[in-house]
Amino acid sequence: MQTDLFLPVLNAPETARPLAPAEAAAPRTHGAKLWQPQRVLFTPDALQEAYGQQILARAQALNLPIELLKSNRLTGLRGEDERATYRTAKTTLAVVNAPAGALRLQPTPPSADYQLNLAEGCPAHCQYCYLAGSLSGPPVVRAFANLPKLLENTQLYERPGRPVSFEASCYTDVLGIEHLTGALAETVKYFAGREGARLRFVSKYDHVDSLLGLPHQGHTRARASLNAEPLARQLEGGTASVEARIQALRRLALPVAQGGGGYPVGVVLAPIMPLPDWQQHYGQLFDRLRAAFDFDCDLTVEFITHRFTPGSKEVLLGWYPGTSLDLDESTRAVKRNKFGGLKYVYDLPTMKELKAWFYAEWQRRFPNAPVQYWT
Ligand code: SF4
């Protein structure tokens, strides 16, 4: 049952059914509930780290069920079947040390120069989640206790000439777990002291209070991941509503003197899908953004169309068998990467139509907010 899957989930998405026009027109406004994992596991190595001890103190203060593991391996995470494994994993936080390989940073174009992974896994339940094809094993949230080492390591990648950018949101939603880890605040403060580096993160959560008073020196770009209201409503479980994300981004962008964070900010429109009446729905989203950003700020936008791989489709259908997400290969174009892997994207005429519309409508409303890329 689709509904079983979302039993432990707050703000779960609606099951697949057509939206009535009036329903689709009324934006939701709820914030995300703070994630309360049902198990918090600590490996011995993680507890050797001062930062791991800080996470332990947070978990204790929140009265979360804590298990101190005897080994650094995470075992026993699988349930009776894939659905049970998913349910258990999505309510488990494991505090571990990132492996040595995590110090070899991977490029992540077009979003940033390099990945900087503070954690892997995410407590939300987006039915198109890109993690399905990228992370292997049960989707447990792993927070990295050797954070100071990961941060210091970024210095090796700085280059003279221009600041090097690091993306913290490749494999997690950093804000969704920030109340448990504090990692994002630590990272923002660290990058404030690095002239040669810039931090980027993106989130579907709205808990930004802990970021507002931080010294960031403009070195962190805070972004919100947004989508058309019907898509967010049907496909994004456990996240803040689109409206709450917009308002959170507004607070991050407002000048410090006005009680805001004074951050450079950004909108990530993803994944863009040509749903029925897509111009109307995305147009309404742009109008809401225009109303919220009625002051001068450093705002950018990134446009990412929906795509999937054979692997991600298989995992997603295991996690969300009743999904309304369009995963029909026959309507898509195939794109191959240099290693022979393939992904399914929209065909060229659809891409051209979408791109022309999104650029025009964005630039009309936000002439001073550059488009960083379309993909
Ligand atoms: S918020 Fe992002 S990482 Fe988390 S489930 Fe949704 S798409 Fe996946």
Side-chain angles (χ1 to χ4, degrees):
M1 284 274 295
Q2 173 88 359
T3 45
D4 286 353
L5 187 59
F6 296 112
L7 271 183
V9 181
L10 299 160
N11 306 332
E14 295 174 354
T15 49
R17 65 180 176 81
L19 287 173
E23 221 184 346
R28 289 179 166 180
T29 58
H30 62 266
K33 294 279 192 309
L34 283 178
W35 184 50
Q36 297 279 324
Q38 291 171 10
R39 296 172 78 192
V40 186
L41 314 176
F42 287 85
T43 63
D45 277 2
L47 285 174
Q48 295 288 320
E49 302 281 339
Y51 177 67
Q53 290 289 334
Q54 282 181 37
I55 302 179
L56 177 64
R58 280 178 185 251
Q60 287 168 332
L62 290 166
N63 275 325
L64 295 174
I66 293 168
E67 296 171 40
L68 306 184
L69 303 179
K70 292 202 161 55
S71 138
N72 288 315
R73 277 174 57 86
L74 299 178
T75 54
L77 299 173
R78 293 202 177 271
E80 282 177 1
D81 55 28
E82 204 164 340
R83 310 288 295 283
T85 299
Y86 176 90
R87 272 197 297 270
T88 308
K90 281 279 187 173
T91 52
T92 301
L93 171 66
V95 185
V96 303
N97 276 358
L103 299 177
R104 284 192 305 276
L105 301 187
Q106 301 301 314
T108 184
S111 152
D113 292 314
Y114 293 103
Q115 299 179 8
L116 172 58
N117 299 316
L118 314 180
E120 287 181 357
C122 171
H125 304 265
C126 301
Q127 294 174 29
Y128 52 75
C129 181
Y130 57 93
L131 298 185
S134 341
L135 296 177
S136 55
V140 169
V141 179
R142 292 171 170 80
F144 297 141
N146 49 346
L147 177 69
K149 195 169 186 178
L150 297 174
L151 295 180
E152 206 182 294
N153 181 57
T154 61
Q155 293 186 29
L156 300 176
Y157 292 80
E158 291 183 22
R159 295 285 177 267
R162 71 164 176 89
V164 176
S165 56
F166 296 88
E167 173 64 75
S169 302
C170 293
Y171 292 122
T172 187
D173 190 309
V174 273
L175 205 48
I177 57 173
E178 179 66 4
H179 57 295
L180 301 170
T181 68
L184 182 55
E186 289 301 318
T187 306
V188 167
K189 288 188 283 186
Y190 181 84
F191 274 77
R194 305 299 316 165
E195 281 308 318
R198 296 292 181 269
L199 176 68
R200 298 160 65 72
F201 75 90
V202 59
S203 180
K204 290 191 179 78
Y205 285 80
D206 62 326
H207 306 116
V208 296
D209 286 359
S210 62
L211 302 181
L212 293 182
L214 297 180
H216 55 74
Q217 303 300 328
H219 292 182
T220 293
R221 186 171 297 275
R223 293 123 80 216
S225 170
L226 302 176
N227 215 325
E229 185 77 19
L231 294 178
R233 184 181 290 220
Q234 284 205 331
L235 300 176
E236 299 175 351
T239 63
S241 63
V242 170
E243 187 60 27
R245 290 177 229 167
I246 292 173
Q247 294 308 322
L249 192 68
R250 181 177 197 275
R251 292 178 69 206
L252 288 165
L254 275 171
V256 175
Q258 293 177 36
Y263 286 87
V265 293
V267 167
V268 178
L269 252 292
I272 293 170
M273 299 180 195
L275 73 161
D277 300 324
W278 59 268
Q279 294 96 332
Q280 176 199 334
H281 294 298
Y282 284 108
Q284 285 170 353
L285 174 64
F286 284 4
D287 287 343
R288 286 161 64 189
L289 271 167
R290 183 62 268 176
F293 285 82
D294 56 350
F295 56 97
D296 281 342
C297 66
D298 177 351
L299 174 70
T300 60
V301 69
E302 295 146 75
F303 294 127
I304 303 173
T305 54
H306 179 245
R307 69 269 329 275
F308 61 93
T309 65
S312 69
K313 174 176 176 173
E314 188 186 341
V315 174
L316 287 172
L317 289 181
W319 288 354
Y320 310 109
T323 186
S324 59
L325 180 66
D326 169 23
L327 293 169
D328 180 2
E329 298 90 344
S330 69
T331 63
R332 301 288 184 121
V334 174
K335 203 169 169 180
R336 290 184 189 276
N337 66 24
K338 56 184 172 186
F339 306 110
L342 59 89
K343 58 187 166 191
Y344 295 101
V345 299
Y346 294 118
D347 62 25
L348 200 55
T350 307
M351 279 292 218
K352 275 187 169 167
E353 186 187 2
L354 288 169
K355 186 175 180 182
W357 187 91
F358 274 83
Y359 270 70
E361 293 297 314
W362 179 266
Q363 288 166 344
R364 184 163 71 77
R365 293 172 179 82
F366 300 98
N368 300 318
V371 179
Q372 294 202 311
Y373 56 86
W374 171 277
T375 186

